[in-house]
Amino acid sequence: MKLYTAKIAPNPLRVEYFLKEKGIFDEVELVQVELATEAKEPGHQKRHIFGRVPVLELDDGQMLSESRAICTYIEEIYPNPNLMGKNGVERAFIEMHDRQVEFHVFFPIANWIRHSHPGLADLEIPQCPDWAASSEATARKNTAIIDVELGKKPYVAGDNFTIADITLYCALNFARLGRFKPWEEHANIAIWREKIMERPAFS
Ligand SMILES: N[C@@H](CCC(=O)N[C@@H](CS)C(=O)NCC(=O)O)C(=O)O
Protein backbone atom coordinates (compact mmCIF):
# COMPACT_ATOMS: atom_id res chain seq x y z
CA MET A 1 0.00 0.00 0.00
CA LYS A 2 1.03 3.60 -0.65
CA LEU A 3 -0.11 6.63 1.32
CA TYR A 4 -0.15 9.97 -0.51
CA THR A 5 0.48 12.48 2.23
CA ALA A 6 1.89 15.96 2.94
CA LYS A 7 4.09 17.26 5.73
CA ILE A 8 2.28 18.96 8.68
CA ALA A 9 -1.11 18.42 7.00
CA PRO A 10 -3.45 17.26 9.79
CA ASN A 11 -5.67 14.86 7.82
CA PRO A 12 -2.86 12.64 6.52
CA LEU A 13 -1.37 12.76 10.03
CA ARG A 14 -4.58 11.19 11.37
CA VAL A 15 -3.95 8.21 9.09
CA GLU A 16 -0.21 8.10 9.90
CA TYR A 17 -0.90 7.90 13.65
CA PHE A 18 -3.56 5.27 13.01
CA LEU A 19 -1.05 3.16 11.05
CA LYS A 20 1.52 3.60 13.83
CA GLU A 21 -0.98 2.51 16.49
CA LYS A 22 -1.70 -0.58 14.38
CA GLY A 23 2.04 -1.28 14.15
CA ILE A 24 2.04 -1.32 10.34
CA PHE A 25 3.41 2.15 9.54
CA ASP A 26 6.62 0.71 8.09
CA GLU A 27 4.68 -1.53 5.70
CA VAL A 28 3.17 1.46 3.90
CA GLU A 29 5.14 3.52 1.38
CA LEU A 30 4.72 7.26 2.00
CA VAL A 31 4.56 9.53 -1.05
CA GLN A 32 4.81 13.27 -0.30
CA VAL A 33 2.55 15.50 -2.40
CA GLU A 34 3.00 19.27 -2.63
CA LEU A 35 -0.51 20.56 -1.92
CA ALA A 36 -0.63 23.87 -3.79
CA THR A 37 0.88 22.55 -7.01
CA GLU A 38 1.30 18.79 -7.48
CA ALA A 39 -2.01 17.93 -5.81
CA LYS A 40 -3.87 20.05 -8.34
CA GLU A 41 -2.30 18.39 -11.38
CA PRO A 42 -4.04 15.65 -13.37
CA GLY A 43 -1.73 12.96 -11.95
CA HIS A 44 -3.00 13.48 -8.42
CA GLN A 45 -6.54 14.40 -9.47
CA LYS A 46 -6.80 10.86 -10.84
CA ARG A 47 -6.19 9.72 -7.28
CA HIS A 48 -8.51 12.28 -5.62
CA ILE A 49 -11.10 14.22 -7.62
CA PHE A 50 -10.60 17.35 -5.45
CA GLY A 51 -6.81 17.14 -5.34
CA ARG A 52 -6.46 16.44 -1.62
CA VAL A 53 -4.56 14.13 0.70
CA PRO A 54 -4.54 11.59 2.25
CA VAL A 55 -5.12 8.96 -0.42
CA LEU A 56 -4.34 5.31 0.21
CA GLU A 57 -3.44 3.33 -2.90
CA LEU A 58 -4.39 -0.27 -2.32
CA ASP A 59 -2.30 -3.16 -3.65
CA ASP A 60 -4.84 -3.71 -6.46
CA GLY A 61 -4.50 -0.04 -7.53
CA GLN A 62 -7.77 1.28 -6.08
CA MET A 63 -7.55 4.79 -4.59
CA LEU A 64 -9.20 5.31 -1.21
CA SER A 65 -9.52 8.82 0.20
CA GLU A 66 -11.15 10.46 3.27
CA SER A 67 -9.14 9.94 6.44
CA ARG A 68 -11.92 8.15 8.29
CA ALA A 69 -12.70 5.85 5.35
CA ILE A 70 -9.00 4.94 5.10
CA CYS A 71 -8.95 4.16 8.84
CA THR A 72 -12.08 2.02 8.47
CA TYR A 73 -10.33 0.00 5.75
CA ILE A 74 -7.19 -0.44 7.86
CA GLU A 75 -9.24 -1.40 10.93
CA GLU A 76 -10.97 -4.08 8.83
CA ILE A 77 -7.76 -5.74 7.63
CA TYR A 78 -5.78 -5.13 10.85
CA PRO A 79 -8.40 -5.42 13.62
CA ASN A 80 -5.89 -5.39 16.50
CA PRO A 81 -5.46 -3.25 18.47
CA ASN A 82 -9.07 -2.17 18.12
CA LEU A 83 -9.43 1.58 17.58
CA MET A 84 -12.98 1.94 16.21
CA GLY A 85 -15.16 -0.33 18.39
CA LYS A 86 -15.62 -4.09 18.73
CA ASN A 87 -19.36 -4.28 18.02
CA GLY A 88 -22.06 -2.18 16.40
CA VAL A 89 -22.93 -0.24 19.54
CA GLU A 90 -19.29 0.56 20.38
CA ARG A 91 -18.64 1.53 16.77
CA ALA A 92 -21.61 3.91 16.76
CA PHE A 93 -20.54 5.69 19.95
CA ILE A 94 -16.90 5.96 18.90
CA GLU A 95 -18.02 7.33 15.54
CA MET A 96 -20.22 9.85 17.37
CA HIS A 97 -17.28 11.12 19.42
CA ASP A 98 -14.92 11.09 16.46
CA ARG A 99 -17.31 13.07 14.27
CA GLN A 100 -18.14 15.53 17.04
CA VAL A 101 -14.44 16.26 17.42
CA GLU A 102 -13.95 16.42 13.64
CA PHE A 103 -16.94 18.67 12.89
CA HIS A 104 -16.90 20.91 15.98
CA VAL A 105 -13.18 21.21 16.83
CA PHE A 106 -11.08 20.10 13.85
CA PHE A 107 -13.09 21.95 11.14
CA PRO A 108 -13.23 25.32 12.98
CA ILE A 109 -9.48 25.09 13.70
CA ALA A 110 -8.76 24.14 10.08
CA ASN A 111 -10.92 26.98 8.71
CA TRP A 112 -9.36 29.48 11.11
CA ILE A 113 -5.83 28.55 10.08
CA ARG A 114 -6.54 28.09 6.37
CA HIS A 115 -8.18 31.53 6.15
CA SER A 116 -5.59 33.43 8.18
CA HIS A 117 -2.12 31.85 7.86
CA PRO A 118 0.02 33.39 5.08
CA GLY A 119 1.58 29.99 4.39
CA LEU A 120 -1.82 28.58 3.39
CA ALA A 121 -2.88 31.46 1.15
CA ASP A 122 -2.27 29.27 -1.93
CA LEU A 123 -4.87 26.77 -0.71
CA GLU A 124 -7.68 29.20 0.16
CA ILE A 125 -8.22 31.71 -2.61
CA PRO A 126 -9.40 34.13 -1.41
CA GLN A 127 -8.69 33.84 2.30
CA CYS A 128 -11.61 35.30 4.21
CA PRO A 129 -10.57 37.09 7.47
CA ASP A 130 -14.15 37.23 8.81
CA TRP A 131 -14.54 33.47 8.39
CA ALA A 132 -11.17 32.99 10.11
CA ALA A 133 -12.30 35.14 13.06
CA SER A 134 -15.64 33.39 13.37
CA SER A 135 -13.99 29.96 13.12
CA GLU A 136 -11.41 30.92 15.75
CA ALA A 137 -14.19 31.87 18.19
CA THR A 138 -15.97 28.56 17.53
CA ALA A 139 -12.72 26.60 17.89
CA ARG A 140 -11.92 28.23 21.24
CA LYS A 141 -15.48 27.77 22.56
CA ASN A 142 -15.70 24.11 21.50
CA THR A 143 -12.21 23.28 22.76
CA ALA A 144 -13.32 24.52 26.20
CA ILE A 145 -16.30 22.13 26.01
CA ILE A 146 -13.98 19.22 25.17
CA ASP A 147 -11.84 20.19 28.16
CA VAL A 148 -14.85 19.80 30.46
CA GLU A 149 -15.65 16.41 28.88
CA LEU A 150 -12.07 15.20 29.35
CA GLY A 151 -12.49 15.94 33.06
CA LYS A 152 -15.07 13.13 33.20
CA LYS A 153 -13.24 10.35 31.33
CA PRO A 154 -9.67 9.44 30.38
CA TYR A 155 -10.15 9.46 26.61
CA VAL A 156 -12.41 11.26 24.13
CA ALA A 157 -14.74 8.27 23.66
CA GLY A 158 -14.56 6.94 27.23
CA ASP A 159 -12.24 4.49 28.95
CA ASN A 160 -10.15 3.47 25.95
CA PHE A 161 -7.87 5.15 23.43
CA THR A 162 -9.65 5.32 20.03
CA ILE A 163 -9.57 7.01 16.65
CA ALA A 164 -11.35 9.99 18.28
CA ASP A 165 -8.19 10.72 20.33
CA ILE A 166 -6.13 10.75 17.14
CA THR A 167 -8.55 13.21 15.52
CA LEU A 168 -8.49 15.54 18.54
CA TYR A 169 -4.70 15.35 18.90
CA CYS A 170 -4.17 16.29 15.23
CA ALA A 171 -6.73 19.09 15.41
CA LEU A 172 -5.22 20.69 18.53
CA ASN A 173 -1.67 20.41 17.22
CA PHE A 174 -2.70 22.18 14.02
CA ALA A 175 -4.03 25.07 16.17
CA ARG A 176 -0.41 25.91 17.03
CA LEU A 177 -0.24 27.59 13.61
CA GLY A 178 -2.72 30.10 15.08
CA ARG A 179 -0.58 30.39 18.25
CA PHE A 180 -3.32 28.55 20.16
CA LYS A 181 -2.03 25.87 22.53
CA PRO A 182 -5.15 24.64 24.31
CA TRP A 183 -3.07 22.48 26.68
CA GLU A 184 -1.61 25.70 28.17
CA GLU A 185 -5.07 26.99 29.16
CA HIS A 186 -7.08 23.82 29.78
CA ALA A 187 -5.94 21.46 32.56
CA ASN A 188 -7.88 18.37 31.41
CA ILE A 189 -6.64 18.69 27.85
CA ALA A 190 -3.10 19.04 29.23
CA ILE A 191 -3.38 15.79 31.24
CA TRP A 192 -4.98 13.96 28.29
CA ARG A 193 -2.33 15.21 25.84
CA GLU A 194 0.54 14.12 28.10
CA LYS A 195 -1.01 10.65 28.17
CA ILE A 196 -1.32 10.57 24.37
CA MET A 197 2.27 11.72 23.90
CA GLU A 198 3.53 8.87 26.09
CA ARG A 199 2.19 6.36 23.57
CA PRO A 200 4.97 4.93 21.34
CA ALA A 201 3.07 5.99 18.19
CA PHE A 202 3.14 9.63 19.29
CA SER A 203 6.63 9.91 20.77
N1 LIG B 1 -12.20 15.24 4.51
C1 LIG B 1 -10.88 14.94 3.99
C2 LIG B 1 -10.09 16.25 3.98
C3 LIG B 1 -8.82 16.14 3.15
C4 LIG B 1 -8.09 17.48 3.12
O1 LIG B 1 -8.69 18.55 2.99
N2 LIG B 1 -6.75 17.41 3.21
C5 LIG B 1 -5.95 18.60 3.15
C6 LIG B 1 -4.65 18.38 3.92
S1 LIG B 1 -4.96 18.27 5.66
C7 LIG B 1 -5.60 18.91 1.71
O2 LIG B 1 -5.41 18.00 0.94
N3 LIG B 1 -5.51 20.19 1.37
C8 LIG B 1 -5.18 20.60 0.07
C9 LIG B 1 -6.04 21.74 -0.39
O3 LIG B 1 -6.70 22.35 0.44
O4 LIG B 1 -6.07 22.02 -1.57
C10 LIG B 1 -10.20 13.87 4.82
O5 LIG B 1 -10.68 13.60 5.94
O6 LIG B 1 -9.26 13.24 4.37
Side-chain angles (χ1 to χ4, degrees):
M1 290 188 292
K2 276 188 199 170
L3 182 69
Y4 296 88
T5 181
K7 293 222 182 313
I8 75 159
N11 283 299
L13 273 176
R14 290 162 69 188
V15 175
E16 291 185 26
Y17 285 125
F18 198 89
L19 291 168
K20 286 180 183 170
E21 284 287 338
K22 291 285 181 184
I24 55 158
F25 184 68
D26 292 338
E27 293 172 29
V28 177
E29 182 188 340
L30 295 193
V31 181
Q32 300 294 331
V33 178
E34 215 289 306
L35 292 182
T37 54
E38 218 183 336
K40 307 297 172 266
E41 289 163 7
H44 189 67
Q45 283 187 329
K46 272 192 225 142
R47 301 181 195 118
H48 189 301
I49 56 172
F50 299 116
R52 304 244 168 167
V53 291
V55 177
L56 186 71
E57 181 174 344
L58 309 187
D59 292 338
D60 66 4
Q62 290 190 85
M63 299 291 171
L64 182 61
S65 58
E66 289 302 320
S67 312
R68 203 175 200 286
I70 294 172
C71 292
T72 299
Y73 175 81
I74 296 163
E75 178 95 344
E76 178 69 22
I77 52 175
Y78 298 97
N80 296 310
N82 180 278
L83 296 174
M84 297 179 81
K86 294 193 182 100
N87 57 48
V89 174
E90 272 188 29
R91 275 194 289 278
F93 277 95
I94 291 168
E95 178 170 351
M96 173 187 83
H97 286 289
D98 190 37
R99 287 179 177 266
Q100 285 184 340
V101 166
E102 181 174 32
F103 294 161
H104 301 293
V105 180
F106 190 113
F107 286 178
I109 289 174
N111 285 324
W112 163 20
I113 305 303
R114 289 175 63 102
H115 283 271
S116 59
H117 197 286
L120 297 180
D122 287 346
L123 297 183
E124 286 296 348
I125 304 170
Q127 284 182 315
C128 175
D130 285 349
W131 180 226
S134 161
S135 299
E136 174 181 353
T138 306
R140 289 183 184 273
K141 184 179 79 178
N142 290 352
T143 300
I145 292 172
I146 288 291
D147 182 65
V148 173
E149 291 304 303
L150 284 172
K152 302 176 195 165
K153 55 195 177 181
Y155 295 101
V156 174
D159 288 335
N160 299 312
F161 176 89
T162 67
I163 185 171
D165 295 287
I166 298 178
T167 304
L168 182 63
Y169 183 84
C170 292
L172 299 186
N173 263 8
F174 195 55
R176 286 189 297 195
L177 293 183
R179 298 197 180 83
F180 178 40
K181 297 179 181 173
W183 48 93
E184 290 182 352
E185 13 188 304
H186 295 298
N188 297 320
I189 286 178
I191 293 165
W192 165 85
R193 188 168 179 269
E194 280 302 313
K195 210 162 41 200
I196 301 300
M197 288 169 63
E198 281 166 11
R199 302 179 70 84
F202 290 79
S203 56

